[in-house]
Amino acid sequence: MNATESEKRIFNFLQLQNCCLRCCFRFVGWRTLDCYEDPIKYAKDAGYIKAEDTSFNDEIPCITCLGILQNKTQEQVIGKIQVEVDKQNYDSGTFICALTIPVCISVRERFLHIQCATQLNLSEDALLDFKVKLQSVKDVWKWIMTPKLELAIKKQVDSMTPSPFLIEIILTYKFNEKECETLLLCKGTNNTGNKRKRKYNENRFSRKSIETLMTKIIDKEFFQYFKAVSFDTSDSINVENIICSHSSIFIGGRYNKLSRELSQTPWFINGEKKMQTSVQDILCNPIAEVTKAQSIKFLSSGREDVDVRNIYSGRPFAVELVNPRMTKITEELLSNLVNKINQSSKQVQITSNLKVLSKYDLKRLKEGENIKTKFYRALCVCRNASKNVLSLEKLNDLKRVKIIQKTPVRVLHRRPLSPRERLIYEMRARWVEPQELKKLDINTEDASMFFVLDIKTQAGTYVKEFVHGDFGRTKPSLCDILNVEIDIVALDVTGINLNWP
């Protein structure tokens, strides 16, 4: 494709302003990859420059892109990316890039548009067309750099899915703020308040704020203020940071807690850890170690108290692996993790297969906190009655008992004081046999005071408080229903009705 005379004039003018050839092609609106891969050859073939012209110095930073699109900077960036990717050792086979560039590039682009239109006597329509044609630095950078990066780090770019492995390239320029400050002087910005010291002063030079300011200024006023500015070309862009990260992976399953002396999460008081381990530690640490995750977050469908066991089918849980290096999670790996965790502890056991979770799965776990039903088994003791004088049959006949519970005394220090309405769907009660108490290591001469209560409740019910009444804060309580003083000796979670994982 041959260049038009108008394009040649613009192209040659930009060259005289120390624009690199790639930026010259950007300004005249070329989207052909070939012109950016080999700009000298393409410029000659298209007639922008003479075939015998050899006066190109790629060592001088471009006045517009500050070297971002020049070979020297690109080689430097590729080298730093390669070092960082090798160092972090992610196993992902794909990647995407995010490029951060100085906002002063937008200021320089606008200045060159207006300067070119002024020098070449372009009409307003021609200037508008000129602006519309401009290809962004980021787009051109990705067109050029993607195949080079794929070769260097031996991974394929995937911007459609997109890839969960992100490489962030942060480029800075030391005169960025100085050039942007000129915008604050323009009358059209109505931004005099920015001259005063503000709490969030650094936000003045964010991309959003600068681009907003530029929309408030007409071209004539913009050019008037910036024509006296000397746009430095002695310093090129600085590669400030290369950041590699992988989006979180979620793994879920079910667990049983078989100890009455184990907290669900690490328990700290005044900065001191009160228990040697926790359910979270036992489940999450081996998973984080194998996947080389930067950190973990433990999620579960509710929680049990330290002295409450979780038995039978198990409690649904999920582990968020934050920025994992090992991301190819196979069924074999998950099976090995189950075996490793179950063999490492008698206090916590995984009762299901582990599974890599989707966002839909996590939504079900969260929603299940409010809609699920739960099953408990409580060992209760009557303080002033026994099976000789007390009948439990009335409990077996009760269905959908509505109760009101104020925040229990035991959790008032961490939860707001507010009443909640909950449903007890059904109950089954029976007196305990003496041999059952022996198995529980409960020494008593009179087993007739103890009974077992199996109860199905709405999620969020405080079962302990339903049994003993919590000083009248739960109404009605089991004490109210049976009209005797009752306390709870032991509590087990026996089922959580949630389709999981």
Side-chain angles (χ1 to χ4, degrees):
M1 181 177 178
N2 292 324
T4 65
E5 288 303 316
S6 175
E7 287 177 347
K8 286 181 182 179
R9 290 176 65 213
I10 293 172
F11 197 98
N12 293 332
F13 174 82
L14 293 170
Q15 274 189 281
L16 292 174
Q17 310 311 309
N18 290 325
C19 273
C20 68
L21 289 180
R22 289 187 175 111
C23 277
C24 292
F25 279 118
R26 285 198 308 117
F27 273 92
V28 295
W30 282 72
R31 295 180 59 86
T32 305
L33 182 58
D34 292 346
C35 72
Y36 296 110
E37 287 182 336
D38 192 348
I40 295 177
K41 181 180 182 302
Y42 210 87
K44 290 180 178 180
D45 291 345
Y48 285 112
I49 57 178
K50 295 178 181 179
E52 63 273 13
D53 194 347
T54 58
S55 58
F56 304 105
N57 187 354
D58 204 40
E59 296 296 317
I60 300 175
C62 169
I63 192 173
T64 314
C65 72
L66 300 170
I68 294 174
L69 300 181
Q70 292 175 280
N71 294 337
K72 182 179 178 180
T73 303
Q74 289 176 2
E75 290 169 5
Q76 183 185 6
V77 170
I78 289 172
K80 290 194 174 186
I81 290 175
Q82 190 172 12
V83 168
E84 189 64 22
V85 170
D86 289 344
K87 175 184 172 184
Q88 297 294 339
N89 196 27
Y90 289 86
D91 69 351
S92 175
T94 62
F95 73 98
I96 53 171
C97 281
L99 180 67
T100 300
I101 62 176
V103 69
C104 69
I105 288 176
S106 297
V107 175
R108 290 181 173 225
E109 287 173 344
R110 184 173 182 184
F111 178 79
L112 279 174
H113 272 133
I114 302 170
Q115 186 185 36
C116 183
T118 303
Q119 296 290 326
L120 301 182
N121 295 317
L122 300 181
S123 65
E124 288 189 11
D125 288 342
L127 175 57
L128 179 61
D129 183 59
F130 186 24
K131 289 180 178 180
V132 170
K133 284 182 177 180
L134 179 67
Q135 304 299 309
S136 77
V137 169
K138 289 186 178 182
D139 285 344
V140 173
W141 184 90
K142 288 179 181 179
W143 296 341
I144 304 167
M145 292 289 281
T146 293
K148 294 179 180 179
L149 283 174
E150 288 179 329
L151 189 63
I153 65 176
K154 298 178 176 59
K155 300 180 189 293
Q156 296 297 309
V157 72
D158 179 6
S159 55
M160 297 298 292
T161 308
S163 171
F165 178 45
L166 173 65
I167 302 173
E168 295 180 78
I169 303 98
I170 300 173
L171 306 179
T172 57
Y173 182 58
K174 69 177 183 179
F175 297 120
N176 181 63
E177 289 193 5
K178 180 181 177 182
E179 293 180 10
C180 290
E181 272 182 338
T182 304
L183 277 175
L184 306 180
L185 303 174
C186 299
K187 295 178 182 178
T189 62
N190 293 320
N191 208 46
T192 54
N194 279 320
K195 296 177 183 178
R196 297 192 299 268
K197 187 175 181 180
R198 301 189 308 175
K199 183 177 180 181
Y200 300 107
N201 197 46
E202 66 274 9
N203 289 337
R204 293 186 304 164
F205 303 114
S206 68
R207 179 166 299 278
K208 183 178 180 180
S209 63
I210 292 299
E211 289 180 351
T212 299
L213 286 176
M214 286 206 292
T215 62
K216 298 179 180 180
I217 313 170
I218 61 174
D219 286 345
K220 183 178 180 181
E221 185 180 358
F222 182 92
F223 190 65
Q224 185 69 29
Y225 277 91
F226 276 92
K227 67 181 181 181
V229 174
S230 175
F231 288 110
D232 194 281
T233 57
S234 61
D235 285 283
S236 61
I237 213 78
N238 175 51
V239 185
E240 183 175 282
N241 207 356
I242 305 293
I243 304 172
C244 296
S245 62
H246 195 286
S247 58
S248 292
I249 294 176
F250 294 85
I251 293 174
R254 284 178 177 259
Y255 74 86
N256 273 342
K257 172 177 169 283
L258 306 177
S259 169
R260 297 194 190 277
E261 298 178 345
L262 185 68
S263 61
Q264 189 189 55
T265 55
W267 189 10
F268 291 90
I269 297 179
N270 296 326
E272 183 181 347
K273 194 172 185 179
K274 289 300 180 182
M275 290 190 169
Q276 187 175 4
T277 188
S278 65
V279 172
Q280 175 179 308
D281 291 336
I282 293 169
L283 291 176
C284 296
N285 290 351
I287 298 175
E289 182 182 350
V290 168
T291 59
K292 300 176 184 176
Q294 180 178 320
S295 61
I296 55 95
K297 293 180 182 178
F298 181 63
L299 312 168
S300 67
S301 181
R303 58 188 299 134
E304 61 279 316
D305 293 337
V306 171
D307 60 350
V308 175
R309 296 190 307 173
N310 201 107
I311 58 177
Y312 300 147
S313 61
R315 182 181 295 279
F317 77 95
V319 179
E320 179 183 357
L321 305 172
V322 180
N323 195 17
R325 269 64 173 175
M326 177 181 283
T327 61
K328 297 174 182 177
I329 311 295
T330 63
E331 289 187 9
E332 181 182 5
L333 175 66
L334 294 175
S335 178
N336 290 338
L337 277 170
V338 171
N339 293 333
K340 181 178 181 179
I341 292 168
N342 287 348
Q343 290 171 11
S344 69
S345 172
K346 299 298 182 184
Q347 296 176 298
V348 176
Q349 295 283 290
I350 295 179
T351 61
S352 68
N353 293 328
L354 290 177
K355 174 187 173 184
V356 176
L357 305 174
S358 66
K359 290 183 179 179
Y360 172 73
D361 293 324
L362 292 172
K363 186 178 179 183
R364 282 195 295 121
L365 184 67
K366 185 68 177 175
E367 290 176 346
E369 292 180 6
N370 300 317
I371 63 175
K372 66 179 181 284
T373 54
K374 299 175 72 175
F375 300 84
Y376 296 88
R377 174 166 291 175
L379 177 62
C380 306
V381 59
C382 300
R383 295 298 185 188
N384 52 1
S386 67
K387 66 179 180 180
N388 299 323
V389 296
L390 180 65
S391 173
L392 300 177
E393 286 302 316
K394 65 185 301 184
L395 297 181
N396 299 338
D397 297 330
L398 292 175
K399 306 290 182 185
R400 299 184 67 83
V401 178
K402 186 183 294 184
I403 64 173
I404 304 294
Q405 294 190 300
K406 293 181 181 178
T407 304
V409 172
R410 63 187 172 91
V411 297
L412 266 178
H413 65 285
R414 67 174 187 266
R415 292 190 180 176
L417 177 60
S418 59
R420 61 167 70 177
E421 183 180 289
R422 288 294 184 267
L423 279 175
I424 307 297
Y425 293 108
E426 58 181 311
M427 293 176 277
R428 303 293 296 177
R430 63 174 179 82
W431 294 103
V432 171
E433 298 297 330
Q435 58 268 28
E436 291 182 278
L437 292 179
K438 290 180 181 179
K439 290 181 181 179
L440 295 171
D441 293 328
I442 296 175
N443 297 317
T444 179
E445 295 180 358
D446 188 2
S448 65
M449 298 187 299
F450 293 86
F451 67 92
V452 172
L453 177 71
D454 287 303
I455 180 171
K456 178 182 178 183
T457 74
Q458 183 181 358
T461 303
Y462 295 113
V463 176
K464 290 179 179 178
E465 283 67 27
F466 169 67
V467 172
H468 58 62
D470 195 29
F471 306 104
R473 299 169 69 83
T474 291
K475 288 290 185 179
S477 66
L478 204 59
C479 297
D480 297 326
I481 295 171
L482 294 177
N483 198 28
V484 293
E485 185 180 344
I486 302 172
D487 206 349
I488 190 164
V489 178
L491 181 65
D492 291 335
V493 181
T494 56
I496 297 173
N497 187 18
L498 182 68
N499 183 19
W500 185 267

